[in-house]
Amino acid sequence: MRASGCRGVRRSWARSGSALTTAATLVVALGACGGSGDSADTTATAAPTSTVLRVAEQDFGGIMLDPAVSYGVARQGYGELLMTTTADSRVVPALARSVERSRPTAWKVELRRGVTFQNGKAVDGEAVAAALNRQLSKRAGLKDVLPGAKIAASGRLEVTITTPKPDPQVSVKLAESDSFPVYDVSAIEKAKTDAGIAGAGAFTGPYAIKTLTAKKMVLERFDGYRMGTPPLAGVEYTFVKDPPARLAAVRSGQADIAEAMNTVGVKRAVASAGDVLFKLSDAPLDGIRLYFNLTRAPFDDAAVRQALLMAIDYETIATRFFDGTFDAPTGLFPGTYPDNKPTIATDVAKARSLLDAAGWTRRGSGTRSKDGKPLEFTILTYTQRPELKTAALALQSELAPLGIAIKINDQSYDSKLFADLAGWGIALYVDYALSGTGQPDANLPNYLLPDGFANFGRIDDRKLTSLLRELATAPDDATRRRVIGEVQDVVITQKAYVGVVAFKRDGVVVSKDWRSYVPSVDTAAFKVVDFETHPG
Amino acid sequence: MTSPAGTASVDAPETIERGFGLPRPRRPRSAGSLRGLRSRVLQTAATLLGASVLVWAIVPLAPGDPAVATLQARGAANPPPAAIEAVRGQLGLDRPLPLQYVDWLGRALRGDLSRSYRTDVPVAVELVQRLPATARLAGAALLICLALAIPSGLIAAAFAGRWPDALLRAVAVVGSGLPGFVVGLLLIEFVVVGAGHGQALTDGSLAQVWLPAVSLALGFFAILARFLRAALLDALDQPFAVVARARGVSRPRLLLRHALPNAAVPFLQVTGYFVGHLLGGSIVVELVFNWPGLGSYVVGAVEARDLPAVQGAALVFTLFFVLSALLADLVARAIDPRVA
């Protein structure tokens, strides 16, 4: 697998809104793609300005900067990955010049020439291998991602990753948003504290962390950035816990962008305020996945599961219950994923006949029943994701006319609640729409294999297990895509093991000076700032 | 309520004319005072211990896995089981809860409040960083409270039963019924966004303390004002006030020179208790204004089941509550030795 570095075209297009700028960007970027790639890549972007972007960011109670324990290093403009994922799910090189499979068990990472960390040290094979090895040894759970992998510099600008068994997904795993950022290991270890890391220039992104306190992180332009001079003079993150306070910050002119604002009601609040804008990301990141409890009636019957998936009016949920800030699903994956198979569709009449045929009949306007037992169950949701309660309420109101009675149990997240199969008929769970890599491969085993940690409904299907094993060792992309297609057929069309209620796009509130800002989903994580972010 | 001046002799006009309506204070006996102080210190220690047991008993009862919450607080939306298990081991969550508590208590007695689950920074360091901002907010709110409550209480007492009293009563009812965060949101909407004054996101400095402090103070000032009014009217009913009135002392002088000092002692004691409540009330107001104090810290800690952080903050709040009450008692004793 080899991918060329055409990064930068898509978002410039989306953000500038000017045909002339777009054309110029396209010409220059295409030129860069076809070039030798021996030097640090360059792409057209806005000219450097004195603007400092002020972001009202979520507050998790203190940011951690050591990539071995922190998440989303590539999200805020200071860190980068070797590979990245585009909104249409292509995995393309970022910091790497190329990543290709040299043998069935070996991958060669070629690095760009002339790239440095923000502290001036060269980003060479040794430095990159040190960062990846430190992640493998120190980051909890990462050894399972590349089990038994050996990573070593095989040239000045080359790293070789060797796996004990053939692993077709190594290049994709390098795009995983939380796993393998590239950083200066010695600078991180010398700094010891987050405040020390802040000034160490240990990363490679377009903006370097200057200061960090409990409530603020200040980034300044990294003039030596590989793609040229970044457009902004800096980025200032203020950590704000309360979403209304983030909104107020933009409305009062204290911030340009408020993060993580796709909660029910914000779009309407913004519309009524009129002085700021609500913007959605260019692709969904999360999915509200619906798990059937396969161990108990009524969902031990595939016909009932299929009927229920057909009875849901997804479009209404997305547009009315979620104000149009969520996407209605057409399949197991978002519509932006090229291999998504249209397997989900609303057909209430067919749902009724399937339920009747399965013996769940209805007298008058009451609840359906079978052998004297009513068709009623509990939907389990958790309070940390308020959208789940909204989705549950939507299902409750949509399925009631079909004679299906639903109770909702909304609790603080606890894996024990999901493990207690006596307590729920359907569980709703927010998960990556694809996975942290922008591809579904890494996530499918988690909820479809018998030992998957998110296999809440106890799916245990031989054919599915066999398909997923084949996917894990697929020798080429054609095989991979065929298997992913077959998985969708089994999971939705044939067995209806799980469903999707809606896909969630990330939402931000921006001031009018930033009207062209579009939240990006590079690296399968919402990226606040990157090289192309500029005002306008 | 009995005024401390309730026993003032009507045969001692010189005492009244001295202004405080009180007999000449005598120094309290030092042995009794020390005993009292020792008893209060022991009470404080017992309260802190009780609070720590309560926190360790209640927080783990809340649903949610601290290891998951910790990883989510670090930005991992869906942490895999291997990461959860690793964090559980790192944090010592795989040990029985009583053992965790005893371990924590042992370290706390040596001055080590453990490390935050979320940030791995010593809780004591985080508390020290955030305490000044909360102290500024509570201090400013207290000042505003007193600046509003004392004149309001005096006016209400001076015009008892008339329209200023009725108006202030109405203000008190509305003020005490309006939560601080609602006042904060209204101030942000109309003062910050609408009129362009002040900040929606504050930095913890004195320059930006006033809007959050007003939000916090409004609910409390009304209650304090009503309390002062009652204490003043009570004092005005005392025999020394009757004598003073009979001697032709003007009503403003009677109120300010005679009744107010007598009402000051109970008012001061109640104010002392309110300082603790101000700290508690600051939690939500800090969230609304993003004030970088203990309030926003403790909310994040509870959400993330960050037990050492919740525990540390609870200790600070308890300590402040107890100390402010103690301080108020001591000042009251200094003013009037009979308070003991």
Side-chain angles (χ1 to χ4, degrees):
Chain A
M1 179 176 170
R2 185 184 177 106
S4 59
C6 301
R7 191 166 179 273
V9 176
R10 180 181 51 77
R11 267 195 320 283
S12 295
W13 206 328
R15 289 180 187 170
S16 72
S18 150
L20 197 61
T21 311
T22 305
T25 305
L26 198 60
V27 167
V28 177
L30 286 175
C33 292
S36 70
D38 279 347
S39 60
D41 64 340
T42 56
T43 192
T45 189
T49 65
S50 58
T51 304
V52 173
L53 171 62
R54 299 159 305 156
V55 182
E57 173 69 292
Q58 294 177 85
D59 185 1
F60 292 116
I63 192 168
M64 298 176 92
L65 293 179
D66 184 343
V69 289
S70 67
Y71 288 77
V73 169
R75 193 175 165 270
Q76 289 168 319
Y78 63 86
E80 288 183 304
L81 303 163
L82 290 166
M83 302 291 282
T84 192
T85 312
T86 61
D88 57 355
S89 291
R90 285 178 302 112
V91 176
V92 297
L95 200 55
R97 181 169 179 268
S98 69
V99 177
E100 61 181 6
R101 201 173 186 176
S102 53
R103 296 197 312 273
T105 57
W107 287 76
K108 191 173 81 174
V109 179
E110 200 182 330
L111 301 171
R112 298 175 191 276
R113 186 174 292 177
V115 177
T116 66
F117 292 107
Q118 293 150 351
N119 58 19
K121 282 188 197 168
V123 178
D124 54 20
E126 293 289 344
V128 171
L132 302 188
N133 277 320
R134 184 171 185 268
Q135 288 299 100
L136 269 183
S137 66
K138 286 204 157 187
R139 186 172 190 88
L142 212 52
K143 276 178 184 158
D144 298 338
V145 175
L146 281 177
K150 305 275 183 214
I151 302 172
S154 48
R156 197 178 69 79
L157 292 175
E158 190 181 288
V159 174
T160 298
I161 301 171
T162 313
T163 54
K165 292 179 186 169
D167 184 347
Q169 289 288 301
V170 170
S171 64
V172 174
K173 288 172 182 176
L174 293 178
E176 214 289 323
S177 52
D178 293 328
S179 298
F180 297 110
V182 173
Y183 56 93
D184 180 358
V185 171
S186 59
I188 293 282
E189 293 194 336
K190 193 177 165 192
K192 289 182 183 160
T193 63
D194 287 321
I197 293 172
F203 300 97
T204 60
Y207 299 95
I209 307 167
K210 189 177 168 191
T211 56
L212 174 73
T213 62
K215 282 288 181 186
K216 201 160 254 188
M217 181 165 75
V218 177
L219 275 61
E220 60 187 0
R221 176 188 284 144
F222 171 35
D223 288 319
Y225 186 60
R226 62 187 169 86
M227 294 167 82
T229 306
L232 301 171
V235 187
E236 200 176 282
Y237 291 95
T238 305
F239 302 112
V240 186
K241 183 148 202 67
D242 194 28
R246 294 200 288 272
L247 175 60
V250 179
R251 292 189 60 214
S252 66
Q254 269 187 281
D256 303 304
I257 296 173
E259 287 297 314
M261 297 300 288
N262 193 7
T263 51
V264 177
V266 169
K267 190 178 172 189
R268 283 182 198 168
V270 167
S272 68
D275 45 7
V276 291
L277 303 163
F278 181 76
K279 310 280 284 191
L280 284 172
S281 62
D282 48 7
L285 274 178
D286 291 333
I288 297 179
R289 201 165 288 137
L290 180 155
Y291 292 86
F292 291 112
N293 182 348
L294 306 179
T295 65
R296 298 162 70 94
F299 299 120
D300 52 353
D301 181 348
V304 178
R305 300 196 297 268
Q306 283 165 336
L308 203 127
L309 291 185
M310 286 177 187
I312 300 169
D313 183 349
Y314 301 96
E315 203 57 50
T316 299
I317 291 177
T319 53
R320 288 182 55 195
F321 285 88
F322 287 119
D323 273 350
T325 61
F326 283 55
D327 290 5
T330 58
L332 191 57
F333 309 123
T336 48
Y337 178 61
D339 293 321
N340 174 55
K341 242 180 167 175
T343 48
I344 293 177
T346 306
D347 189 340
V348 179
K350 195 171 177 188
R352 276 203 187 96
S353 62
L354 275 172
L355 287 172
D356 290 340
W360 292 98
T361 53
R362 189 183 196 194
R363 283 182 194 162
S365 58
T367 304
R368 283 173 187 272
S369 63
K370 181 182 178 180
D371 303 331
K373 288 187 176 173
L375 182 49
E376 60 183 20
F377 55 87
T378 297
I379 296 183
L380 176 64
T381 60
Y382 50 99
T383 52
Q384 281 82 355
R385 302 301 293 249
E387 58 266 42
L388 292 179
K389 179 87 178 279
T390 307
L393 288 167
L395 294 179
Q396 191 181 45
S397 80
E398 287 196 346
L399 298 178
L402 269 80
I404 300 172
I406 292 175
K407 291 177 191 163
I408 297 169
N409 181 14
D410 190 34
Q411 301 242 7
S412 181
Y413 179 79
D414 191 334
S415 54
K416 288 176 198 153
L417 289 170
F418 285 81
D420 176 17
L421 291 165
W424 55 272
I426 284 179
L428 298 181
Y429 185 78
V430 176
D431 200 354
Y432 284 125
L434 293 159
S435 78
T437 63
Q439 303 291 315
D441 311 50
N443 214 9
L444 288 172
N446 294 338
Y447 63 95
L448 296 179
L449 282 182
D451 59 350
F453 71 84
N455 183 355
F456 302 120
R458 299 283 192 274
I459 300 166
D460 189 356
D461 184 302
R462 268 189 204 169
K463 186 180 178 188
L464 203 49
T465 303
S466 159
L467 282 170
L468 291 172
R469 283 195 185 129
E470 190 182 352
L471 180 66
T473 55
D476 53 58
D477 206 42
T479 309
R480 213 182 123 257
R481 296 175 71 174
R482 174 185 58 76
V483 174
I484 287 173
E486 286 183 41
V487 166
Q488 293 174 76
D489 285 337
V490 174
V491 170
I492 304 275
T493 314
Q494 294 166 20
K495 300 293 179 85
Y497 285 135
V498 296
V500 178
V501 180
F503 289 111
K504 182 180 184 180
R505 288 177 187 255
D506 269 307
V508 298
V509 173
V510 300
S511 68
K512 288 185 173 169
D513 289 343
W514 286 81
R515 62 180 70 245
S516 302
Y517 181 87
V518 176
S520 155
V521 291
D522 263 6
T523 73
F526 170 41
K527 219 169 182 180
V528 184
V529 175
D530 62 16
F531 177 62
E532 290 131 34
T533 306
H534 60 84
Chain B
M1 184 166 301
T2 306
S3 163
T7 56
S9 168
V10 290
D11 299 327
E14 70 282 3
T15 305
I16 297 169
E17 275 310 295
R18 204 172 55 240
F20 292 96
L22 296 170
R24 189 183 297 277
R26 283 177 296 173
R27 286 190 173 278
R29 281 173 297 191
S30 59
S33 178
L34 271 179
R35 253 200 315 276
L37 197 64
R38 198 183 307 132
S39 157
R40 291 302 294 258
V41 169
L42 286 174
Q43 280 174 18
T44 304
T47 306
L48 291 176
L49 188 69
S52 75
V53 172
L54 270 180
V55 170
W56 276 82
I58 290 171
V59 174
L61 286 182
D65 183 343
V68 174
T70 298
L71 284 162
Q72 286 171 338
R74 291 177 187 175
N78 298 294
I84 295 168
E85 281 310 311
V87 167
R88 196 170 281 135
Q90 284 165 14
L91 301 179
L93 297 169
D94 43 6
R95 295 176 304 152
L97 195 65
L99 211 62
Q100 291 179 46
Y101 174 68
V102 170
D103 182 40
W104 174 86
L105 188 63
R107 275 186 281 162
L109 289 173
R110 295 193 300 274
D112 175 7
L113 293 178
S114 302
R115 288 176 173 266
S116 159
Y117 289 169
R118 292 169 297 168
T119 59
D120 201 35
V121 173
V123 168
V125 171
E126 293 190 326
L127 293 176
V128 166
Q129 283 171 350
R130 287 172 177 263
L131 190 57
T134 295
R136 267 194 291 277
L137 175 57
L142 183 64
L143 277 181
I144 294 170
C145 252
L146 294 177
L148 293 173
I150 292 171
S152 302
L154 283 167
I155 291 168
F159 297 94
R162 292 156 69 185
W163 71 264
D165 185 28
L167 180 69
L168 286 166
R169 187 186 300 127
V171 171
V173 169
V174 173
S176 57
L178 211 56
F181 74 89
V182 174
V183 179
L185 290 173
L186 291 172
L187 288 174
I188 286 176
E189 183 62 34
F190 295 108
V191 178
V192 180
V193 177
H197 298 302
Q199 309 283 322
L201 302 183
T202 49
D203 61 5
S205 68
L206 265 182
Q208 296 184 2
V209 78
W210 300 110
L211 284 180
V214 166
S215 310
L216 190 56
L218 276 186
F220 290 108
F221 112 80
I223 300 169
L224 277 181
R226 295 304 295 169
F227 186 87
L228 181 61
R229 172 191 177 275
L232 286 168
L233 291 179
D234 193 40
L236 287 174
D237 279 345
Q238 299 302 319
F240 74 88
V242 175
V243 171
R245 258 198 303 269
R247 293 184 71 229
V249 175
S250 69
R251 190 163 175 81
R253 185 178 172 85
L254 183 67
L255 203 63
L256 293 172
R257 294 289 306 274
H258 300 281
L260 184 58
N262 279 276
V265 172
F267 179 73
L268 199 69
Q269 284 175 311
V270 169
T271 304
Y273 285 103
F274 265 73
V275 173
H277 287 291
L278 279 175
L279 282 173
S282 72
I283 289 178
V284 184
V285 171
E286 284 190 10
L287 268 188
V288 170
F289 286 93
N290 204 40
W291 185 259
L294 284 176
S296 48
Y297 177 75
V298 81
V299 170
V302 170
E303 274 181 8
R305 308 284 183 271
D306 189 345
L307 207 47
V310 176
Q311 183 64 80
L315 281 186
V316 170
F317 281 120
T318 311
L319 199 63
F320 258 78
F321 193 87
V322 172
L323 286 182
S324 58
L326 179 65
L327 189 67
D329 278 355
L330 291 176
V331 175
R333 284 182 198 206
I335 293 174
D336 182 0
R338 290 165 304 167
V339 168

